[in-house]
Amino acid sequence: MANIQLNETAPRFIREHLLLFAIIFFISILCASLLFLYPFASNKKVPYFTKSHEILVNSKLTGQKALLIKDQVYLPVMVVQNTLGGWLYPDSGQLIMTTNQDILRFLYDKNAYYINDQKINPSSPLIIKNQQGIFLSIDVIKKYYPFRYQILKSNGAVWIEQNGNTYFKGKITTRTAKRDYLQLRTDPSLQAPYTTNVIPGESIRIEKQVRGYDYIRRSNGIGGYIKADIVDKLQKTAVRVSFPEDKFSLPSITLPIQLSWEAVYSKTPDTKELPRMPGVTIVSPTWFQLKNENGELTDKGDSAYCIWARKQGYTIWPLFSNAFNPQLTKNAFNTFVKRQKIITSLLAMLEKYQSEGLNLDIENVNREDGPLVTEFVREAAARLHRANKIVSMNITFKSKGNWSEFYERHALSESADYLIVMAYDEHTKTIGSVASIPWVRDNVKALLKEVPGDRLILGIPLYTRLWKENTRSGEISSAALTMNQANQWVKNHKLKPDLDNDTGQYYIQYIDKAHNEKYSMWLEDDYSLRERVQIAELSHLAGIAVWSRYFANEQAWASLKTSLAAYHHQ
């Protein structure tokens, strides 16, 4: 009997413990589910501003701090350049700041600065250089860039708001809300640490919304995430700063632009031999070139050409070249004095030939010297604008090497009035088109991410390359042909060009079995020129520029004029 009772007790014991385990397991799952669905808010508080006099620009902490001396605010050069859009360049004992028509120089060791050539002695230092870096007075910067600022009383931070910055006005709801919900979080989650508390009815600004949270900012500059359903969103507003417009007058030009380069290698061609170029509005003879590292220039200008151009109704933008010499360019551009010597000479030459503008053709520069080129262009643009001259600059599509990597395209577009992209030489060492249509189209699209369309001019080739390949050795060579020369070569060999869909151009191939040679050529003709103009039109560019007049034939000018007529009408 005892054994039977023992056996009956054991299952009851097991059942009771299993029930207990089941209850505990259920409660654990329930707690975990509640924690997941209704998580506990973090009570960890962290500072929003982590540095004394930290700088807040619009809605972004810069990680930099201002210098405050006797109620004067000084900003680090990095903040001015990277966040306010100013261009500052250190140069042998001074800091240079350029605008559309002014060059300011702040001397490190003297309480003085220059606006163009005028020396000014301010009552207090405008620039401070110490172990922490270089700092510039915010009151000077305000004269040239539209923003407002305040020193926040609660934490000493400097809050800068740029003209045009937008946000929504808002209010914290007066509806009942838990204390945890009135805390501004570092991330859109209640588990994130908080920086401060808001109070019901408080006016705030709403800067963005992320996953059901608003990122808001209090009047003391502190920002953070808060549940969107406890914020009443009001009207959109924008920062408005009264600021004088940087006005300067430039010669009027007809849009779209049609520029033609005149390649001048030794002397300007006799104007009696120059053809009519219907549709062309601007001519750019390659007259000026950097001569030596002292900043002296070569001048191949021709007054007779100017007289001829005026009679044809052309505007003149002579071209200045750096001689495509990287070391010469570095040595000539590396000081303010030498840059100004070059610019002064260019201004004198433009006046001598009564030219309305200048075309800068700076090529083959070491990548690390790109900022030098940009600074030269900025200084040249400021001085030429004061003289009512238009500044254009030639650039390439992005590629590897000295012929492309040094161009700071976006920065250049902010100084030069126009950038002309030399959309050719796609193939120079391997067999292929000078500039296939898809290659041009795709690269223009990429370039427009950095350069505004209304400041971009599309360079168009009027030459083609005749490629020759030895079918035995594989040796490759090419020759640049004019449009007439290319047509004559095709005619002499009794060939009929076929449309190559891959390049969007007409193409010929010829095999000379007797000499083991294969010839290839992608033609520039009425078809390709219309395609190129259409790229400029559909991309809303400022116009086109052709390299060069020497390679063109009558058909080219007629085709470009017809294609641009519709463009001009738009």
Side-chain angles (χ1 to χ4, degrees):
M1 293 290 295
N3 288 337
I4 295 173
Q5 290 176 353
L6 181 61
N7 292 337
E8 290 177 350
T9 305
R12 188 185 309 128
F13 175 80
I14 293 172
R15 287 197 300 271
E16 289 174 352
H17 279 75
L18 286 174
L19 180 61
L20 179 61
F21 291 147
I23 292 171
I24 293 172
F25 180 74
F26 176 75
I27 292 172
S28 299
I29 294 297
L30 181 63
C31 290
S33 300
L34 289 172
L35 187 62
F36 178 77
L37 295 172
Y38 303 98
F40 293 111
S42 171
N43 60 4
K44 181 181 179 181
K45 186 176 182 180
V46 295
Y48 181 77
F49 294 105
T50 58
K51 298 179 175 69
S52 60
H53 309 311
E54 192 164 2
I55 301 170
L56 172 67
V57 178
N58 298 327
S59 59
K60 183 180 179 181
L61 284 172
T62 63
Q64 302 290 317
K65 60 180 185 179
L67 204 61
L68 268 68
I69 301 176
K70 296 180 181 179
D71 296 329
Q72 273 273 24
V73 179
Y74 296 85
L75 298 181
V77 167
M78 184 182 298
V79 170
V80 179
Q81 186 141 330
N82 294 347
T83 61
L84 297 183
W87 181 265
L88 300 170
Y89 190 81
D91 183 292
S92 57
Q94 61 187 342
L95 185 70
I96 301 172
M97 183 169 83
T98 50
T99 69
N100 280 330
Q101 55 183 336
D102 290 316
I103 301 174
L104 289 83
R105 292 185 291 133
F106 303 94
L107 309 183
Y108 293 147
D109 57 349
K110 298 177 183 177
N111 186 26
Y113 74 104
Y114 288 84
I115 298 180
N116 303 317
D117 295 325
Q118 181 184 3
K119 185 178 181 180
I120 298 174
N121 296 101
S123 57
S124 59
L126 299 182
I127 187 168
I128 293 176
K129 186 178 182 182
N130 57 28
Q131 293 180 342
Q132 299 174 355
I134 303 173
F135 296 80
L136 194 59
S137 168
I138 198 170
D139 292 327
V140 170
I141 303 166
K142 270 194 66 180
K143 293 179 181 179
Y144 296 93
Y145 301 98
F147 64 86
R148 66 189 183 196
Y149 77 96
Q150 57 178 309
I151 302 172
L152 301 173
K153 294 180 180 178
S154 59
N155 44 47
V158 177
W159 187 4
I160 297 171
E161 297 177 273
Q162 291 175 288
N163 188 46
N165 180 50
T166 59
Y167 59 88
F168 282 91
K169 290 183 177 180
K171 272 193 175 185
I172 303 299
T173 181
T174 54
R175 298 186 293 274
T176 303
K178 295 180 181 179
R179 180 179 62 87
D180 296 340
Y181 283 66
L182 295 173
Q183 294 172 335
L184 300 190
R185 305 283 171 178
T186 57
D187 288 301
S189 167
L190 288 174
Q191 282 75 58
Y194 74 97
T195 56
T196 188
N197 292 78
V198 293
I199 58 176
E202 180 179 352
S203 295
I204 49 89
R205 60 172 60 183
I206 305 167
E207 294 176 348
K208 61 181 177 180
Q209 191 172 69
V210 179
R211 299 195 305 271
Y213 283 78
D214 282 339
Y215 192 91
I216 69 170
R217 192 171 302 280
R218 303 183 72 193
S219 60
N220 63 3
I222 297 177
Y225 292 94
I226 192 170
K227 285 278 190 180
D229 56 9
I230 64 169
V231 179
D232 291 330
K233 190 175 185 179
L234 305 176
Q235 75 271 22
K236 187 176 183 179
T237 189
V239 174
R240 295 295 177 217
V241 179
S242 178
F243 190 77
E245 188 177 350
D246 190 8
K247 290 184 177 179
F248 54 94
S249 60
L250 293 176
S252 60
I253 55 176
T254 302
L255 293 175
I257 290 168
Q258 185 179 348
L259 179 147
S260 176
W261 280 293
E262 181 65 50
V264 179
Y265 298 106
S266 55
K267 67 175 184 177
T268 306
D270 185 345
T271 56
K272 295 177 183 178
E273 299 176 1
L274 294 178
R276 293 181 65 254
M277 298 182 288
V280 169
T281 57
I282 300 169
V283 288
S284 180
T286 61
W287 281 343
F288 313 143
Q289 183 170 294
L290 187 59
K291 184 177 182 180
N292 56 43
E293 63 182 37
N294 296 322
E296 295 177 329
L297 307 183
T298 299
D299 176 8
K300 291 181 284 190
D302 186 333
S303 297
Y305 180 90
C306 295
I307 295 170
W308 169 83
R310 297 260 176 260
K311 288 182 177 179
Q312 309 304 314
Y314 301 144
T315 295
I316 305 173
W317 294 357
L319 179 146
F320 164 69
S321 163
N322 66 327
F324 304 162
N325 186 321
Q327 193 59 47
L328 173 64
T329 304
K330 179 176 183 175
N331 293 342
F333 285 7
N334 63 4
T335 70
F336 177 77
V337 172
K338 286 192 282 189
R339 291 194 300 272
Q340 291 304 304
K341 180 179 179 179
I342 295 169
I343 296 166
T344 298
S345 297
L346 288 171
L347 278 166
M349 292 174 181
L350 293 178
E351 290 300 324
K352 176 182 177 182
Y353 300 112
Q354 299 181 340
S355 304
E356 292 87 350
L358 178 68
N359 179 228
L360 299 172
D361 189 31
I362 301 172
E363 302 185 51
N364 192 23
V365 176
N366 294 325
R367 180 179 182 179
E368 61 270 21
D369 295 327
L372 266 180
V373 174
T374 303
E375 179 60 20
F376 172 77
V377 174
R378 292 189 71 92
E379 292 175 13
R383 290 192 59 187
L384 266 67
H385 286 159
R386 288 204 310 278
N388 302 321
K389 306 295 184 186
I390 295 172
V391 180
S392 63
M393 168 85 176
N394 302 337
I395 61 170
T396 64
F397 289 139
K398 281 191 173 181
S399 63
K400 298 293 183 182
N402 275 15
W403 297 89
S404 176
E405 290 185 311
F406 75 93
Y407 290 117
E408 297 178 328
R409 293 166 178 81
H410 178 69
L412 291 169
S413 74
E414 293 183 328
S415 300
D417 302 297
Y418 297 100
L419 295 185
I420 305 178
V421 59
M422 298 176 287
Y424 32 82
D425 286 343
E426 178 185 2
H427 297 93
T428 56
K429 296 180 180 179
T430 59
I431 296 174
S433 168
V434 168
S436 65
I437 301 302
W439 178 77
V440 174
R441 185 184 297 114
D442 292 345
N443 278 283
V444 166
K445 184 177 180 181
L447 186 56
L448 287 173
K449 295 177 181 177
E450 296 185 76
V451 180
D454 60 358
R455 288 197 167 202
L456 187 61
I457 296 171
L458 181 65
I460 292 177
L462 297 180
Y463 64 96
T464 187
R465 289 191 183 278
L466 176 63
W467 293 94
K468 182 173 71 171
E469 179 184 6
N470 188 292
T471 55
R472 285 187 174 179
S473 67
E475 183 181 351
I476 295 172
S477 63
S478 71
L481 303 185
T482 68
M483 296 180 75
N484 279 337
Q485 287 170 343
N487 291 338
Q488 190 62 48
W489 197 93
V490 171
K491 183 178 179 181
N492 290 346
H493 291 80
K494 300 177 181 179
L495 300 173
K496 182 180 179 182
D498 294 316
L499 182 61
D500 177 12
N501 292 323
D502 290 337
T503 61
Q505 295 174 268
Y506 277 92
Y507 164 78
I508 62 94
Q509 187 178 93
Y510 175 76
I511 297 176
D512 183 349
K513 293 182 180 180
H515 298 91
N516 302 307
E517 292 172 342
K518 181 172 75 172
Y519 293 87
S520 304
M521 183 163 53
W522 286 262
L523 298 171
E524 291 302 329
D525 54 15
D526 176 70
Y527 183 85
S528 67
L529 294 179
R530 282 190 283 109
E531 289 292 304
R532 299 184 193 286
V533 171
Q534 188 177 56
I535 292 173
E537 179 183 353
L538 296 178
S539 302
H540 306 288
L541 305 188
I544 64 167
V546 295
W547 182 265
S548 68
R549 189 274 311 164
Y550 169 78
F551 293 103
N553 59 16
E554 290 184 10
Q555 182 189 19
W557 302 122
S559 176
L560 290 170
K561 183 180 180 182
T562 302
S563 300
L564 281 166
Y567 188 0
H568 178 74
H569 180 71
Q570 275 198 351

